[in-house]
Amino acid sequence: MKSMNSSLRAFSTPFSSFRRPTFNLLSVPRLVPARTFPCSFRSNTVSFTPSNSNPFKSELQFSVKAEMSIAEGKSKVQVFEAEEDLSVSLAKHTSDLSEKFVRERGAFAVVVSGGSLIKSLRKLVEAPYVDSIDWAKWHVFWVDERVVPKDHPDSNYKLAYDGFLSKVPIPPGQVYAINDALSAEGAADDYETCLKQLVKNKVVCLSSATGFPKFDVMLLGMGPDGHVASLFPGHPLLNENKRWVTFVTDSPKPPPERITFTFPVINSSAYIALVVAGASKADPVHRALGGDSQSSDMLPVQMVSPEGEITWFLDKGAASKLRLSVVRTNEHLIRLKSISSWIRSVQAKLRIMFKKSIEAKSLQRLSGADRKKLKRTIKERFPQASDADIDVILPPKAEITVVKLPNRAHVYGVEGGFPMLFDVDGRGNEIFPTVFALWKVPELLPAFMLKGGEVSRYVIGGADLMFPGISIPVEGFPSFSAGQPWAVKVPGNSAPIAVGTTTMSSTEASKAGLRGKALRIMHCYRDSLWESVEGHYVPNAGFLEDVVFEDPSTSSVSWASDSCEDDNNTSSDQQDGISNREGREVDAAGSCSEQNFASSTLVDLREDVPEEITVDVNNLKMTENTSAEEKGEKLSTEEIDALLDKCLLQALHTTVKDKELPIAGSMLWSSHILPCRPSGVSLDIKKSSHKKLSKWLQSKSSSGLISAKEDKHKKEVVLLAVNRSHAEYISFKPEKQQAQAVDKKNDSTVSEGRIQRPQFEVTEIYKPSVHVNHIFTAVGADTGKFYGASEASEVVFSYIEKESLVKPTDKAIVVLDAKLCDALYKGAVKKGSSYPTEIHKRDLGAAFINRMQSHHRVTRGNESVVRKGALKTVQILTERRQGNKKVTRVSGLESFLVDAEVLASELQKKFACSTTVAELPGKKGYEVLIQGGVIDDLAKHLVEHYSIPKRYIEVLDKTKK
């Protein structure tokens, strides 16, 4: 018991005293009588500890009748001073539900109504929600619709499209409008048939209690007469209990013909949000919430009683007849509004799992059986971890304890030591290492490298990690799937700062142009789990209070910055439509010092590889070749200043485009200036006379060459404009630079007698298709040649500039004319659905490229081949033959211009074994058979001697049990 108590002290503040002041509802005077429905101005899950000047007084007690018509525990009422506050809260509510259902079942089925509700949804199309919500998982339905053409002013579809749907990237095939070519009865039957098919396909759930479809959320409005959907007071359809969708031909409101969901469908919903604004609706609100109801004369809104939870969103006018003293007291309303806004800001910071103040439910030691089970789970969860790695995390001779939290999460740690693992659901399905475990075994997880230490401020502050904040390795990202655990590192520091799960696969990320959220952070340095350890341990001096920089003990190491060059193609995309998301998402580039973002921590996990392929090339026993440190004369301060100016002018002439401005200083440095430095020359701003990038750019701004200004929000200098008529710009003659092969490797251990291998390069290219040919023709581009991704994007943006399609009121939006709309969507939009009229600039490049024919070019020395489709991988297979002998096969060499006969001869000498070359049956190509299990050495040979990128090698060892 003594040792257990010491272990509990090791987590001394883990679950009782978390970072920042805590907020406790119990310390606030109750806002509602004990036996009435919960009434909250934001949420009953977060509150505050009042100071001496408590704004809540005894007269603020609600005076609400106890006899409520809504079931206790299932209803919430929120009253807002203004409709603006209502819209903010509704957006947060909807966003939270979207995240919940996408996480739980991979889809979000949302039902909307017409009227003023669409206006109340406007905050969803603004930051931070427009970029943080996974719109691709949304499926949108209508609770009712007028039987009119989709472009008719009375159409609920048109109202929703103009005010909401056209501004978010929901796939058109997932927006379910009615067939407006049918009669009211036919449209209702058609819509019900559609719903039944979607239930069958599990897009929409089926309620086990009612047998009717169970939508994730319904966002409903209410009319002044108390009607919801197209179910009006006194109408016979109020009692319809068999149909899912029915029709109305005698609506008391024009137009008379409508279709509508029935009450059994409405009330089967998991969540309902009833949004009511305006004093004209105060009477039905009072009847519904004031207990003034009779079964013989119930309003339709009073019949809304969902299977799940209902939340009322009311403005002051709609709630004016409820007997709430707070509604009549403007001073208190202002206070409550201020508190509500403050609580919203607190909630935004509590998204990480260990940001909340949580009490430990229990602590106990693991038994021997549980310990073995935990180790097996870790091995399955982290297949790249060796037994030695697991022993470091869970020492064999140490006692392992588990802390169980009220939210069902478990935290595993070494008794008297550090918490090492946490299990999100307590079932072993989502186990993650803590930063303490990652500091002991830094390569336990693949890691995203931030663009600089400054970006770490956002991650530590509670942000999820966005792709624009990540440094792209020279060879690109390895394959990964959604939901995989990844770590986050800072350049120059081997100790990870956070851990989370990927939000999309590498394929989805590539199609999205490396935009959006990359990693949902689960735990990070300086959160409450880290603070639970006495002494606040950090692995090195690079870990500061609110930011992490490179490890000073390794700062003397020369970091190459070649990986920054890959960012050049996407720099313009990353400037448009990206904001800080109020600290919730990382989208800024950080430090601008020259660094090497090593890719050795990235694990090659391919989505299309069979489950039995568990060995990937990054786990093979291969040693990375490091180039010898380049030797040369040390540059003086004056020479570095001159080199900086030369690189800036070279970048301004060659890569910095006016349409890409403004550009963040860190992006200018990493994506434009560094790639322009001479080969083999190190460029360090700290060794110049300016010492800082901001001071240097401001000095060039003072000279009139550029216009630069400090962004106080991002705390860095931003390049606003280039003066191309400046004498210094005009007099400079840019140098022609030779493109370097991305996948070329330098081997410092090559002996003098070894044959020099020809340069190898793989490039993804695209050819114009019939869909986009007219766009290329319009700007005078050749429709018969191949284009890189950046070149193709340049074509479509040239067309936009030529036709002046940028929306005047929002420079990030492109208005689609007939040609561009056909190029992007013709043949891809579901029949009966409307074509989009606008597209965001960040989505345009990827959408345009997706309509082109995908090819790849493989170049080895003077030989170059272009093939259609994606590049096929090399497959290496080891299996047993007769007599328990092993044989290794390798195929797919033709994709990389590798001669099978030559490779077989090399391997015969290298491995001192027999090799044969055989033609693949029924396929074009050859495979090489090598005697013995040489899977590790063969993969190493292909990487080192043929420069085949690791991500293009798949291995399968069938000899392992």
Side-chain angles (χ1 to χ4, degrees):
M1 180 59 70
K2 181 178 180 181
S3 60
M4 289 185 67
N5 289 335
S6 65
S7 175
L8 187 57
R9 285 195 299 272
F11 297 107
S12 60
T13 55
F15 317 109
S16 59
S17 175
F18 283 67
R19 62 185 310 199
R20 312 293 179 261
T22 58
F23 309 99
N24 184 359
L25 269 178
L26 299 179
S27 61
V28 184
R30 292 186 61 84
L31 299 182
V32 286
R35 296 298 296 171
T36 64
F37 68 100
C39 184
S40 162
F41 280 84
R42 273 298 294 128
S43 169
N44 61 1
T45 58
V46 177
S47 60
F48 70 103
T49 302
S51 62
N52 294 333
S53 57
N54 187 350
F56 294 96
K57 304 296 182 181
S58 58
E59 64 266 24
L60 270 177
Q61 300 295 324
F62 282 77
S63 176
V64 182
K65 290 187 177 181
E67 55 273 17
M68 302 305 298
S69 62
I70 302 177
E72 180 178 327
K74 294 172 62 178
S75 303
K76 296 179 182 177
V77 177
Q78 299 185 22
V79 182
F80 300 89
E81 167 70 7
E83 195 273 340
E84 178 74 9
D85 295 331
L86 184 153
S87 298
V88 171
S89 181
L90 180 62
K92 176 68 168 57
H93 180 72
T94 307
S95 175
D96 290 345
L97 290 178
S98 173
E99 185 174 2
K100 164 185 166 65
F101 285 104
V102 169
R103 182 178 66 250
E104 291 178 356
R105 67 184 199 86
F108 184 48
V110 55
V111 179
V112 298
S113 61
S116 60
L117 171 78
I118 301 301
K119 178 184 175 183
S120 299
L121 293 177
R122 64 186 182 275
K123 294 298 179 181
L124 283 175
V125 303
E126 300 175 4
Y129 306 110
V130 68
D131 291 319
S132 62
I133 289 176
D134 191 352
W135 297 107
K137 301 296 193 297
W138 276 48
H139 294 261
V140 181
F141 305 84
W142 276 263
V143 71
D144 70 324
E145 178 60 288
R146 290 88 180 269
V147 185
V148 294
K150 291 187 179 67
D151 57 356
H152 192 278
D154 289 335
S155 169
N156 283 342
Y157 171 84
K158 175 177 172 54
L159 179 67
Y161 181 82
D162 293 343
F164 175 55
L165 296 176
S166 62
K167 301 175 183 180
V168 293
I170 299 175
Q174 293 170 203
V175 177
Y176 305 94
I178 71 166
N179 187 341
D180 55 3
L182 302 176
S183 64
E185 183 176 5
D189 291 340
D190 180 72
Y191 210 73
E192 182 168 329
T193 301
C194 173
L195 293 183
K196 289 181 177 179
Q197 184 61 40
L198 292 172
V199 168
K200 183 178 180 180
N201 296 338
K202 301 190 185 306
V203 172
V204 179
C205 298
L206 194 69
S207 170
S208 58
T210 66
F212 285 88
K214 183 175 183 177
F215 291 94
D216 299 329
V217 66
M218 285 197 184
L219 306 175
L220 305 181
M222 183 195 74
D225 59 353
H227 83 268
V228 292
S230 285
L231 298 169
F232 295 93
H235 199 281
L237 288 180
L238 295 179
N239 300 316
E240 173 61 53
N241 58 9
K242 297 188 181 299
R243 294 284 305 268
W244 291 10
V245 184
T246 188
F247 65 97
V248 181
T249 57
D250 56 349
S251 168
K253 287 183 61 178
E257 293 192 344
R258 306 171 176 226
I259 73 165
T260 181
F261 283 3
T262 59
F263 268 122
V265 174
I266 294 173
N267 288 333
S268 295
S269 302
Y271 291 86
I272 287 180
L274 249 172
V275 183
V276 187
S280 63
K281 302 176 182 180
D283 284 332
V285 168
H286 178 252
R287 286 188 61 179
L289 296 180
D292 185 14
S293 63
Q294 298 177 0
S295 58
S296 60
D297 188 27
M298 290 184 69
L299 295 176
V301 70
Q302 293 176 277
M303 300 175 66
V304 178
S305 180
E307 184 177 322
E309 179 183 285
I310 182 172
T311 302
W312 288 73
F313 292 82
L314 308 176
D315 71 351
K316 186 172 69 171
S320 59
K321 294 193 176 182
L322 294 178
R323 286 187 289 173
L324 306 176
S325 60
V326 67
V327 175
R328 298 193 300 270
T329 310
N330 188 57
E331 177 184 357
H332 293 312
L333 274 171
I334 294 174
R335 288 175 177 171
L336 285 174
K337 177 182 176 182
S338 174
I339 292 165
S340 174
S341 301
W342 186 84
I343 291 177
R344 282 198 298 271
S345 68
V346 171
Q347 286 180 315
K349 298 176 182 177
L350 296 182
R351 298 180 66 252
I352 297 179
M353 179 177 178
F354 292 103
K355 292 278 185 178
K356 294 184 179 181
S357 177
I358 305 174
E359 295 285 343
K361 187 176 180 181
S362 65
L363 182 145
Q364 63 188 53
R365 285 180 178 173
L366 286 187
S367 65
D370 288 340
R371 186 191 188 108
K372 291 179 180 178
K373 181 180 179 181
L374 178 61
K375 284 195 171 186
R376 286 196 304 270
T377 303
I378 297 172
K379 189 65 177 176
E380 294 172 359
R381 178 73 167 166
F382 315 122
Q384 65 272 31
S386 64
D387 292 338
D389 292 337
I390 297 177
D391 287 343
V392 170
I393 298 173
L394 302 175
K397 295 184 179 180
E399 292 291 345
I400 305 301
T401 59
V402 56
V403 175
K404 297 182 179 180
L405 309 181
N407 62 357
R408 292 188 291 186
H410 293 177
V411 178
Y412 298 91
V414 178
E415 188 171 84
F418 299 120
M420 288 298 189
L421 304 161
F422 63 93
D423 184 353
V424 174
D425 59 3
R427 300 176 181 177
N429 298 324
E430 293 188 79
I431 284 187
F432 297 86
T434 66
V435 290
F436 300 104
L438 291 173
W439 293 344
K440 289 180 177 292
V441 188
E443 311 305 322
L444 181 65
L445 294 180
F448 288 119
M449 189 70 69
L450 300 181
K451 285 187 174 176
E454 283 296 328
V455 185
S456 65
R457 294 183 188 273
Y458 300 99
V459 177
I460 295 171
D464 285 335
L465 183 59
M466 306 294 286
F467 276 110
I470 301 173
S471 171
I472 304 174
V474 174
E475 68 275 25
F477 288 122
S479 295
F480 55 85
S481 57
Q484 283 186 346
W486 277 62
V488 180
K489 291 185 178 181
V490 168
N493 202 319
S494 62
I497 68 168
V499 61
T501 57
T502 53
T503 62
M504 64 181 79
S505 68
S506 54
T507 302
E508 293 170 333
S510 178
K511 290 181 178 179
L514 293 182
R515 295 183 166 281
K517 187 184 298 183
L519 200 68
R520 181 176 290 108
I521 303 297
M522 304 297 293
H523 156 58
C524 70
Y525 163 62
R526 293 207 67 83
D527 69 3
S528 56
L529 180 58
W530 175 84
E531 288 192 341
S532 70
V533 176
E534 292 181 353
H536 293 176
Y537 168 76
V538 293
N540 57 62
F543 281 69
L544 305 181
E545 182 175 356
D546 59 347
V547 69
V548 179
F549 291 115
E550 65 179 16
D551 183 357
S553 64
T554 60
S555 60
S556 60
V557 178
S558 175
W559 296 87
S561 63
D562 295 337
S563 59
C564 293
E565 296 175 17
D566 277 359
D567 297 335
N568 196 27
N569 292 335
T570 57
S571 61
S572 63
D573 293 342
Q574 293 171 357
Q575 298 304 318
D576 293 327
I578 298 180
S579 62
N580 180 260
R581 311 285 172 252
E582 299 178 351
R584 295 181 61 182
E585 299 168 352
V586 176
D587 60 317
S591 173
C592 53
S593 58
E594 184 181 357
Q595 292 153 345
N596 172 27
F597 308 127
S599 62
S600 59
T601 59
L602 300 177
V603 179
D604 187 10
L605 301 174
R606 302 186 60 84
E607 293 181 328
D608 53 350
V609 179
E611 291 183 358
E612 63 267 19
I613 300 180
T614 58
V615 182
D616 57 72
V617 176
N618 277 328
N619 290 333
L620 299 179
K621 301 173 183 177
M622 305 191 324
T623 57
E624 294 287 342
N625 292 319
T626 56
S627 59
E629 185 177 356
E630 300 179 21
K631 297 182 179 180
E633 295 182 3
K634 186 177 181 180
L635 296 177
S636 65
T637 301
E638 293 76 15
E639 289 173 326
I640 293 177
D641 287 347
L643 182 58
L644 284 171
D645 293 346
K646 179 180 178 181
C647 291
L648 174 61
L649 287 167
Q650 179 75 17
L652 296 181
H653 274 275
T654 57
T655 63
V656 176
K657 309 297 182 185
D658 288 336
K659 69 178 183 179
E660 297 175 358
L661 301 176
I663 297 177
S666 52
M667 182 66 68
L668 175 69
W669 175 267
S670 62
S671 297
H672 297 277
I673 295 175
L674 286 181
C676 291
R677 73 196 187 285
S679 178
V681 176
S682 177
L683 192 61
D684 190 347
I685 192 72
K686 295 178 182 178
K687 295 179 181 179
S688 71
S689 62
H690 307 280
K691 302 301 182 184
K692 292 184 178 180
L693 177 67
S694 58
K695 291 185 177 180
W696 175 53
L697 292 177
Q698 286 170 348
S699 71
K700 305 312 292 182
S701 181
S702 300
S703 70
L705 175 61
I706 61 174
S707 175
K709 183 180 180 181
E710 183 176 2
D711 187 329
K712 294 182 179 179
H713 180 64
K714 295 185 177 180
K715 297 182 179 180
E716 68 172 325
V717 173
V718 176
L719 174 63
L720 302 176
V722 179
N723 182 5
R724 302 193 185 273
S725 60
H726 192 273
E728 193 174 350
Y729 180 90
I730 295 173
S731 62
F732 181 80
K733 302 299 181 183
E735 299 176 357
K736 292 184 178 180
Q737 293 182 310
Q738 294 182 350
Q740 297 181 355
V742 172
D743 294 290
K744 184 177 179 181
K745 303 292 182 180
N746 295 321
D747 192 348
S748 61
T749 62
V750 176
S751 62
E752 294 182 1
R754 182 175 296 179
I755 299 174
Q756 183 67 34
R757 298 287 174 180
Q759 180 174 299
F760 177 76
E761 184 178 10
V762 177
T763 309
E764 290 185 1
I765 54 178
Y766 305 88
K767 187 176 182 180
S769 64
V770 293
H771 300 296
V772 299
N773 276 338
H774 55 283
I775 300 296
F776 281 81
T777 303
V779 297
D782 188 355
T783 59
K785 64 174 286 190
F786 293 97
Y787 294 83
S790 60
E791 295 172 324
S793 297
E794 185 76 19
V795 170
V796 69
F797 277 103
S798 297
Y799 178 81
I800 291 168
E801 186 175 352
K802 178 183 176 183
E803 301 295 332
S804 301
L805 298 180
V806 176
K807 192 173 184 179
T809 58
D810 188 350
K811 299 296 185 182
I813 300 297
V814 175
V815 178
L816 301 179
D817 64 2
K819 285 186 178 180
L820 188 53
C821 187
D822 285 347
L824 299 179
Y825 299 110
K826 187 175 181 180
V829 176
K830 183 179 178 182
K831 187 176 180 180
S833 299
S834 298
Y835 282 81
T837 59
E838 298 176 346
I839 187 171
H840 199 287
K841 280 184 178 179
R842 67 169 180 273
D843 302 321
L844 179 59
F848 188 73
I849 291 171
N850 282 340
R851 301 284 281 179
M852 299 176 68
Q853 297 175 1
S854 176
H855 291 71
H856 64 274
R857 178 187 289 118
V858 180
T859 304
R860 186 176 295 281
N862 295 326
E863 186 180 2
S864 183
V865 176
V866 174
R867 298 189 180 96
K868 192 173 182 179
L871 182 62
K872 296 181 179 179
T873 58
V874 172
Q875 290 87 35
I876 305 176
L877 170 68
T878 297
E879 59 186 0
R880 295 187 186 276
R881 289 247 176 128
Q882 297 175 350
N884 204 29
K885 294 180 180 180
K886 293 183 180 180
V887 63
T888 301
R889 302 168 176 264
V890 57
S891 59
L893 301 169
E894 296 79 11
S895 298
F896 298 89
L897 304 181
V898 176
D899 189 294
E901 295 286 353
V902 174
L903 177 64
S905 178
E906 289 177 355
L907 298 180
Q908 183 179 17
K909 297 174 183 177
K910 183 179 180 68
F911 300 143
C913 63
S914 64
T915 60
T916 57
V917 178
E919 186 173 2
L920 292 170
K923 297 180 181 180
K924 293 182 180 180
Y926 296 85
E927 71 173 352
V928 179
L929 285 77
I930 307 100
Q931 181 184 22
V934 293
I935 191 169
D936 292 2
D937 295 326
L938 175 55
K940 178 180 178 181
H941 183 79
L942 293 175
V943 172
E944 293 182 352
H945 298 273
Y946 285 92
S947 301
I948 298 178
K950 297 176 184 178
R951 64 182 182 276
Y952 291 120
I953 300 178
E954 294 179 3
V955 295
L956 173 60
D957 191 347
K958 287 189 174 181
T959 64
K960 289 187 177 181
K961 295 182 180 179

